[in-house]
Amino acid sequence: GFTDRKGTFGVSERALLSLAAEAPELFSNNVLTRPLMQDYVLPVLASVLGPAEIAYWAQLGEAFRSFGMAMPIVMPRTSFTVTDDGIRKYMAAYGLSFEDVRSRFEECKQAWLDGRDTLSLDELFEETERRFTEVYEPLLQTLPALEAGLAELGEKNKQRIIEQVRFLRARAKEAHRLRYEAEMRRFDRVAVWLRPEDKPQERVINYTSLWNRFGSHWLDSLLAVPCNRSGGHYIIHL
């Protein structure tokens, strides 16, 4: 027979076959058998699928053959990202490409911010810490001659001072970032629009927001893109 995963429900094969014949509406397909059902009841020429769907469809060839069915053509789904003049203006101003936003946005954002650091804060604090350690080390080597316990105390004192230097470094970096807060918000606006939640735009932004913002012509621009049987990604400029 058959049971659910927890073993709380069981049914025999005969009972299932009888139920399928008498009340087929009580059954529903899971994600793996749905392709078989849709091809059985509908004249499917091709299925347009995303990467994950293509991966599990690739396992279905033998299942189609077992039912005497031909597997339909599998076409990769075309994806789109919509931009406007405001987003393109910010991208041009900060030297961002779509690939930068898609795969290395935080690095590009930090690189732009570091490029405005006229004080070279990282190098300044690293040198300060290095010189402090260099000056302090002979003291640590000498003090145990007075009392053995001073070695441990001196090491703890050294670490506290280094912690304070690093705390000051973090505050200085934050002060530098706040000087360019407006620019950082523009960076973030680009990312939130093109890669909301670091996901493809089409997965997060509802199409009604595009209608509200651009009117109905945004859809005309989308439909004007030629059909690409290999899928691909297109950027639509509105």
Side-chain angles (χ1 to χ4, degrees), residues 33-69:
T33 59
R34 182 189 58 78
L36 294 166
M37 178 62 76
Q38 73 179 24
D39 276 60
Y40 183 77
V41 300
L42 298 170
V44 179
L45 173 62
S47 287
V48 182
L49 308 170
E53 294 168 310
I54 290 175
Y56 71 74
W57 268 69
Q59 306 173 47
L60 293 176
E62 187 59 37
F64 275 93
R65 286 189 289 272
S66 296
F67 285 93
M69 299 162 59

Side-chain angles (χ1 to χ4, degrees), residues 49-113:
L49 308 170
E53 294 168 310
I54 290 175
Y56 71 74
W57 268 69
Q59 306 173 47
L60 293 176
E62 187 59 37
F64 275 93
R65 286 189 289 272
S66 296
F67 285 93
M69 299 162 59
M71 192 171 182
I73 297 168
V74 171
M75 291 179 58
R77 182 171 60 239
T78 303
S79 62
F80 300 90
T81 299
V82 174
T83 69
D84 63 9
D85 289 340
I87 296 298
R88 291 197 299 277
K89 180 180 73 173
Y90 289 149
M91 292 177 71
Y94 302 121
L96 292 171
S97 67
F98 178 78
E99 187 60 27
D100 289 333
V101 179
R102 189 185 71 85
S103 60
R104 47 182 174 270
F105 174 72
E106 290 299 331
E107 292 89 336
C108 291
K109 181 179 175 182
Q110 188 61 48
W112 186 92
L113 191 60

Side-chain angles (χ1 to χ4, degrees), residues 7-8 42 152 181:
T8 56
L42 298 170
E152 182 179 354
E181 188 172 11

Side-chain angles (χ1 to χ4, degrees), residues 9 16 37 43 82 113 130 150 155 161 177 204 206 215-216:
F9 170 80
L16 274 180
M37 178 62 76
V82 174
L113 191 60
R130 186 194 67 77
L150 290 177
E155 185 61 35
I161 294 172
R177 190 192 69 78
V204 179
N206 191 279
S216 60

